[in-house]
């Protein structure tokens, strides 16, 4: 999923049309408030961000994305009418991964979006994770603590695997519900907390690897092998 934050209706609709017709799922927003709401519900794979926006400028949004552990590695492309070298340097120094100045060609934009997605794609691994006394095999769907098998439910396994794939990243309950269960957090649902509690109990001495970040959510720290 690609998120496009652009307040010009004509540009936004044209870019969305081109992205979707190029096989790239995309959603557009005209206001930062709507964009932030969408990010809270679901993390995109890439953000295309205009600089000149109502409510909040694009560079401020970019800095917030980079300061948040859940979005700090999110690929961001700046899309703006400002095309001077100084503006480009400011944007890149603020954490942008690419910079496209208006006016631009649609085919060039698509090409650069695809290139950025390729660069940011995680390297393929074996699907096996080793953290201290915990070993998880994605391909074999097994979990071991100190060499002994641990039986997990499907959602417990998917929750653990998601955290292991992103060591150090803090996931909110909303993000975990969306990515593991496929629906949004309603403020009352305790599904994530219950599954984390059960997961910690089943992992025994390795349950402490799942850390609670007060007021935010959960993460797994340490060096994943």
């Amino acid at each position: 999923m690609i998120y496009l934050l652009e307040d010009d209706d004509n540009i936004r609709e044209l870019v969305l049309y081109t992205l979707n017709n190029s096989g790239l799922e995309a959603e557009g927003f005209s206001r930062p408030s709507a964009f932030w709401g969408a990010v809270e519900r679901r993390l995109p794979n890439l953000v295309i961000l205009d600089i000149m926006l109502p409510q909040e400028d694009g560079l401020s949004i970019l800095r917030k994305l980079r300061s948040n552990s859940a979005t700090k590695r999110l690929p961001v492309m700046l899309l703006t009418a400002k095309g001077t070298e100084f503006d480009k340097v400011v944007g890149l120094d603020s954490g942008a991964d690419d910079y496209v100045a208006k006016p631009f060609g649609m085919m060039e934009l698509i090409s650069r979006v695809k290139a950025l997605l390729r660069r940011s794609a995680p390297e393929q691994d074996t699907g096996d994770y080793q953290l201290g006394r915990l070993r998880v095999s994605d391909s074999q769907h097994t979990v071991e603590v100190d060499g002994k098998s641990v039986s997990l439910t499907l959602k417990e396994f998917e929750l653990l695997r998601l955290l292991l794939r992103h060591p150090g990243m803090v996931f909110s309950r909303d993000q975990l519900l969306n990515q593991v269960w496929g629906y949004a957090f309603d403020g009352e649902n305790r599904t994530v907390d219950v599954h984390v509690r059960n997961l910690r109990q089943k992992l025994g001495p390795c349950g402490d690897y799942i850390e609670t970040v007060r007021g935010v959510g959960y993460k797994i720290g340490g060096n994943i092998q």
Side-chain angles (χ1 to χ4, degrees):
M1 172 62 76
I2 297 172
Y3 285 170
L4 167 65
L5 180 52
E6 166 63 68
D7 64 322
D8 186 304
D9 294 341
N10 292 328
I11 294 177
R12 186 177 65 256
E13 291 174 6
L14 177 59
V15 172
L16 288 175
Y17 176 84
T18 306
L19 287 170
N20 284 307
N21 277 273
S22 299
L24 300 168
E25 185 182 6
E27 185 174 352
F29 311 93
S30 62
R31 296 290 185 270
S33 55
F35 167 78
W36 286 122
V39 170
E40 182 62 25
R41 292 189 299 271
R42 176 184 179 183
L43 283 178
N45 302 106
L46 183 147
V47 171
I48 302 176
L49 181 63
D50 190 20
I51 288 184
M52 304 300 292
L53 293 165
Q55 298 179 344
E56 184 178 12
D57 71 85
L59 290 178
S60 173
I61 294 172
L62 175 59
R63 294 186 184 104
K64 288 182 180 179
L65 289 172
R66 290 294 177 252
S67 64
N68 188 310
S69 60
T71 57
K72 65 181 180 181
R73 294 184 178 87
L74 186 63
V76 177
M77 175 183 291
L78 292 181
L79 189 66
T80 176
K82 291 187 173 183
T84 68
E85 183 177 0
F86 174 77
D87 291 321
K88 181 176 180 180
V89 170
V90 170
L92 295 175
D93 284 349
S94 297
D97 298 286
D98 201 355
Y99 188 108
V100 179
K102 303 172 185 176
F104 52 86
M106 286 295 110
M107 292 303 99
E108 178 191 0
L109 177 66
I110 295 300
S111 177
R112 294 177 72 163
V113 165
K114 289 182 176 179
L116 182 52
L117 287 171
R118 287 195 299 270
R119 294 199 305 269
S120 60
E123 295 182 1
Q124 296 297 319
D125 56 33
T126 62
D128 294 338
Y129 308 93
Q130 179 80 44
L131 177 60
R133 301 154 70 181
L134 173 67
R135 180 176 178 81
V136 176
S137 174
D138 195 355
S139 57
Q140 298 181 23
H141 211 276
T142 58
V143 178
E144 295 180 352
V145 173
D146 291 331
K148 297 182 179 179
S149 178
V150 177
S151 178
L152 300 182
T153 67
L154 176 60
K155 292 305 181 186
E156 288 168 352
F157 183 85
E158 291 178 347
L159 177 60
L160 177 60
R161 180 178 58 186
L162 176 62
L163 294 172
L164 286 169
R165 282 179 172 173
H166 305 277
M169 178 179 291
V170 181
F171 287 89
S172 68
R173 291 171 177 82
D174 191 357
Q175 291 166 339
L176 291 172
L177 270 174
N178 187 277
Q179 296 193 43
V180 176
W181 282 268
Y183 59 86
F185 183 56
D186 60 11
E188 298 295 334
N189 199 311
R190 307 302 295 174
T191 298
V192 172
D193 296 330
V194 171
H195 277 74
V196 169
R197 183 175 68 246
N198 293 340
L199 188 54
R200 282 170 169 163
Q201 291 175 349
K202 291 183 178 182
L203 294 179
C206 296
D208 291 340
Y209 294 161
I210 303 175
E211 304 175 25
T212 299
V213 181
R214 189 175 298 276
V216 183
Y218 299 99
K219 72 172 183 176
I220 277 186
N223 296 318
I224 309 296
Q225 300 178 6

